[in-house]
Amino acid sequence: MKYTRITDLLNIEYPIIQGGMAWISDAKLAAAVSEAGGLGIISGVGSTEDVRSEIQKAKSLTNKPFGVNIMLMGKNVDEIAKLVCEEKVAVVTTGAGSPSRYMNEWKKNNIKVIPVVPSVAIAKRMEKFGADAIIVEGMEAGGHIGQLTTMSLVPQVVDAVEIPVIAAGGIGDGRGIAASLMLGACGVQMGTRFLVADECKVHENYKNKVINARDIDTEITGVSTSHPVRVLRNKLTREYLRLEKSNADTSEIEALGKGALKKAVIDGDVDNGSVMAGQIAGLIKEKQSCKEIITELINELEEAIRRV
Ligand code: TUI
């Protein structure tokens, strides 16, 4: 059951991909996940030189495949798109937009391209453009999200495309992986669970906020500005939602979010910073190494499958 079209496609042991989280997913985290048998992903958000140095560092830490996530709303996307070709990265995942204008170049460079999509129509478009697989992300996920839930979206995309489907959003343990396989996915992407990994660089305050979160502790900000983002509730979200409710200017609302993720991730300011996390945060109770996380996930997956 561990071996799926995704483990074959990506040449990895287990069908578990670590989400590429902006300002969070660096070489150390990605290499630890890949070494543990999953697919580690480095975030492509940041200066082109910093991203290049993270890619090179990951190569020095593991001989196993890893990927780079390209956030398409970023400023230097053209440069990062070129960089992954120069560095011969094995896999590119994309988020927050359409990667169509880069696909041909990536394919020419033998990069496996896996866009993250929030709907059936976009999944079909990505398949037509030559995507090797697709990550279908439900709105349970942390960060920038679409409107549909994983449970309803995954089977609809599975029926609409031929390429392998990877489920994301709301998956935090082996039962979630088993459920995803039942829906027709052949792998999962998980972000929130890896936030609390020992190898994850986020500030201890951020990790503790995830560990202490209950099921009802996330909010979606940015609906009014068409940039919905799921985060853990704090002083910033209360202010954000108050401004949104009072129909404040988009520029005033967006100014509040500027630099907020970095504030939480690096400075550990979990009151005024943006603590992105998915709805599954309430399930996550302890800090573990990536190896421990992946071993536990696979044990739970096998147990869940035996049980049914
Ligand atoms: O990208 C994500 N999640 C993210 S990106 C991010 S960085 C950020 N920082 C501050 C504010 C906002 C973002 C944090 N979390 N997930 C993947 C994802 N992609 N979710 C939704 C989409 C998406 C949306 C529209 C993908 C494609 C799309 O349209 C494609 C088209 O064809 O127009």
Side-chain angles (χ1 to χ4, degrees):
M1 222 33 203
K2 282 176 282 190
Y3 306 101
T4 69
R5 286 170 76 196
I6 281 299
T7 51
D8 285 349
L9 176 74
L10 302 178
N11 204 15
I12 55 178
E13 203 175 344
Y14 305 119
I16 300 169
I17 299 175
Q18 162 247 318
M21 300 170 281
W23 304 114
I24 296 173
S25 303
D26 62 3
K28 189 175 165 195
L29 178 64
V33 171
S34 290
E35 278 293 297
L39 185 78
I41 304 276
I42 293 171
S43 162
V45 172
S47 79
T48 309
E49 278 324 300
D50 285 352
V51 177
R52 187 193 298 279
S53 109
E54 288 304 312
I55 294 171
Q56 291 176 349
K57 188 171 167 199
K59 286 178 188 167
S60 75
L61 293 172
T62 183
N63 290 323
K64 301 203 170 156
F66 64 87
V68 171
N69 174 254
I70 302 192
M71 211 279 277
L72 293 157
M73 284 179 353
K75 277 183 252 152
N76 53 342
V77 180
D78 286 354
E79 275 180 36
I80 302 287
K82 224 160 81 193
L83 171 66
V84 292
C85 297
E86 287 164 13
E87 291 293 331
K88 304 194 184 322
V89 168
V91 182
V92 163
T93 63
T94 65
S98 171
S100 52
R101 65 184 184 284
Y102 305 114
M103 295 270 258
N104 282 345
E105 201 54 32
W106 290 338
K107 304 290 302 173
K108 255 192 251 159
N109 282 276
N110 281 326
I111 296 174
K112 301 276 189 296
V113 183
I114 314 185
V116 178
V117 302
S119 73
V120 169
I122 299 174
K124 284 163 88 167
R125 206 177 318 141
M126 292 306 131
E127 179 175 52
K128 202 170 84 197
F129 287 136
D132 294 280
I134 206 104
I135 298 170
V136 172
E137 189 183 84
M139 53 84 81
E140 299 94 321
H144 178 69
I145 50 172
Q147 293 183 344
L148 300 170
T149 61
T150 303
M151 182 78 129
S152 52
L153 183 57
V154 170
Q156 294 187 64
V157 174
V158 166
D159 285 352
V161 300
E162 302 280 327
I163 50 177
V165 169
I166 296 154
I171 303 162
D173 67 7
R175 292 170 300 180
I177 305 175
S180 303
L181 298 178
M182 294 292 170
L183 295 174
C186 27
V188 296
Q189 175 179 275
M190 301 169 69
T192 306
R193 178 77 190 256
F194 287 109
L195 279 175
V196 301
D198 297 334
E199 297 88 346
C200 180
K201 70 180 251 190
V202 297
H203 197 282
E204 283 303 302
N205 295 353
Y206 198 127
K207 291 186 181 181
N208 290 336
K209 197 159 168 74
V210 171
I211 301 259
N212 292 326
R214 296 166 301 169
D215 52 352
I216 55 168
D217 284 342
T218 70
E219 298 272 18
I220 305 174
T221 59
V223 174
S224 69
T225 57
S226 304
H227 288 128
V229 172
R230 186 180 297 285
V231 288
L232 290 175
R233 186 182 301 110
N234 62 4
K235 192 165 159 232
L236 175 70
T237 63
R238 278 188 272 272
E239 178 64 6
Y240 212 105
L241 293 173
R242 190 187 65 74
L243 281 182
E244 289 199 72
K245 235 182 178 164
S246 68
N247 290 323
D249 268 6
T250 302
S251 57
E252 192 188 348
I253 298 172
E254 288 190 338
L256 204 57
K258 221 169 157 40
L261 180 58
K262 235 173 151 179
K263 213 185 267 180
V265 171
I266 310 291
D267 308 340
D269 185 350
V270 293
D271 298 322
N272 302 295
S274 176
V275 189
M276 294 186 187
Q279 286 186 324
I280 205 67
L283 191 80
I284 296 166
K285 294 285 168 240
E286 59 173 333
K287 298 171 191 167
Q288 293 166 298
S289 69
C290 289
K291 176 91 189 151
E292 286 167 339
I293 291 174
I294 289 188
T295 304
E296 189 171 291
L297 290 172
I298 295 302
N299 287 339
E300 289 168 350
L301 165 64
E302 291 180 345
E303 167 61 23
I305 290 170
R306 265 197 304 276
R307 204 156 18 89
V308 296

